[in-house]
């Protein structure tokens, strides 16, 4: 081999060794770490976790990405995702009441919160981290959706933020299909008049009232809170077809005692021949935060509507 050819060959080998390795795709950016400060955002994060044994599904959040949730998420009276938070299948995810000190120590990439509270906490943490390289974390305030369709929309938006957009779209679409199937169910026998429902809470959320409407009932407001004299008189004079009673659990909340007494009073009048009123107890975990699992409350309401529609007037 000629000397010039040999030198050129050695030069090409040297350049090949020094060049940046070629790969079919660049390394993905590191997965963001997440801290949630609110029960509703806790459950949104858990909606995007991977399922045990799930294969072939789009990329999901890893449990290691979750730096902390609130303690309420592990209580099954308030949380529809308490098991995912760690009661059965896994060791519990870290949970603690949010403080400026904990956020400064954790240095999350994304902080999720609801629309109320923690404004002062955000200012303190930003001030403490203003000189740090990771001080510019993303602080998202998520307002709970007021409609059933809004649940899927919010899930998709959060999936984009957390880098699991494909999974979020897949689960949002599954939710939309389930919702569409429930809405498409007509009553076996249309009622002779619109069925009315009263939610026995002082201020039912817009989402709870949307569930009642979607199930085919007309929500009726009271002139006062259910436990007040005005509220009780209104119900006794014009009882609805259905009383919806949100409950945390047997004996879990003293605030539920007055509505429970009112239910017993109305059922006592039914026994005296004053006409019937149906009662549906819905777990608060399905109502406190709008999630894909709130469809279970809609199923119960629709089943009650079918029952009342089939009853003789």
């Amino acid at each position: 081999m000629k000397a010039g050819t040999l030198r050129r060959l050695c030069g090409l080998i040297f350049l090949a060794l020094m060049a940046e390795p070629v790969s079919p795709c660049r390394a993905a950016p590191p997965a963001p770490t997440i801290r949630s400060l609110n029960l509703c955002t806790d459950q949104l994060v858990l909606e995007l976790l991977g399922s045990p044994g799930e294969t072939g599904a789009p990329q999901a959040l890893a449990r290691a990405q979750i730096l902390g949730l609130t303690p309420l998420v592990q209580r099954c009276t308030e949380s529809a995702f308490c098991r995912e938070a760690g009661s059965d299948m896994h060791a519990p995810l870290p949970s603690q009441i949010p403080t400026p000190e904990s956020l400064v120590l954790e240095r999350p990439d994304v902080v999720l919160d609801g629309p109320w509270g923690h404004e002062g906490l955000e200012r303190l943490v930003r001030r403490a981290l203003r000189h740090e390289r990771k001080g510019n974390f993303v602080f998202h305030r998520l307002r709970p959706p007021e409609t059933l369709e809004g649940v899927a929309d919010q899930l998709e938006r959060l999936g984009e933020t957390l880098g699991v957009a494909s999974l979020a779209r897949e689960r949002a679409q599954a939710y939309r299909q389930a919702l569409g199937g429930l809405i498409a169910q007509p009553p076996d026998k249309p009622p002779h008049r619109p069925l009315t429902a009263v939610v026995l809470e002082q201020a039912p959320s817009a989402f709870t009232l949307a569930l009642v409407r979607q199930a085919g009932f007309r929500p009726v407001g009271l002139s006062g809170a259910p436990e007040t004299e005005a509220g009780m008189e209104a119900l006794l004079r014009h009882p609805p077809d259905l009383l919806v009673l949100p409950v945390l659990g047997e004996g879990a909340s003293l605030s539920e005692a007055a509505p429970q007494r009112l239910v017993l009073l109305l059922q006592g009048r039914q026994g005296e021949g004053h006409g019937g009123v149906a009662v549906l107890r819905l777990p608060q975990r399905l109502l406190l935060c709008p999630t894909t699992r709130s469809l279970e409350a809609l199923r119960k309401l629709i089943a009650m509507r079918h029952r009342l529609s089939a009853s003789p007037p």
Side-chain angles (χ1 to χ4, degrees), residues 147-222:
T147 65
L148 280 84
E149 295 79 5
V151 171
D153 296 339
Q154 186 174 73
L155 192 61
E156 288 178 330
R157 288 194 299 270
L158 184 61
E160 292 279 353
T161 299
L162 301 182
V164 289
S166 296
L167 178 78
R169 284 194 297 269
E170 183 179 280
R171 293 187 176 173
Q173 185 57 29
Y175 167 84
R176 290 188 181 105
Q177 289 176 352
L179 175 60
L182 289 173
I183 293 173
Q185 297 178 11
D188 299 328
K189 178 183 176 183
H192 64 287
R193 59 175 177 77
L195 295 173
T196 57
V198 167
V199 180
L200 287 179
E201 282 187 315
Q202 186 166 351
S205 70
F207 182 76
T208 299
L209 295 177
L211 282 169
V212 171
R213 290 190 191 92
Q214 194 69 74
F217 292 93
R218 179 170 63 86
V220 177
L222 300 177

Side-chain angles (χ1 to χ4, degrees), residues 31-32 34 41-55 57-69 73-74 79 81-87 89-94 112 155 158-159 162-168 170-171 292-293:
I34 304 157
T41 54
D42 290 345
Q43 294 181 84
L44 278 171
V45 170
L46 294 173
E47 292 241 37
L48 296 173
L49 274 180
S51 301
E54 191 175 34
T55 58
Q59 180 184 355
L61 292 181
R63 295 176 75 83
Q65 289 178 249
I66 302 173
L67 299 182
L69 305 172
V73 76
Q74 294 183 6
S79 170
F81 286 81
C82 59
R83 293 195 173 189
E84 285 79 358
S87 63
M89 297 177 289
H90 304 278
L93 285 163
L112 301 174
L155 192 61
L158 184 61
L162 301 182
V164 289
S166 296
L167 178 78
E170 183 179 280
R171 293 187 176 173
T292 57
R293 293 184 182 174

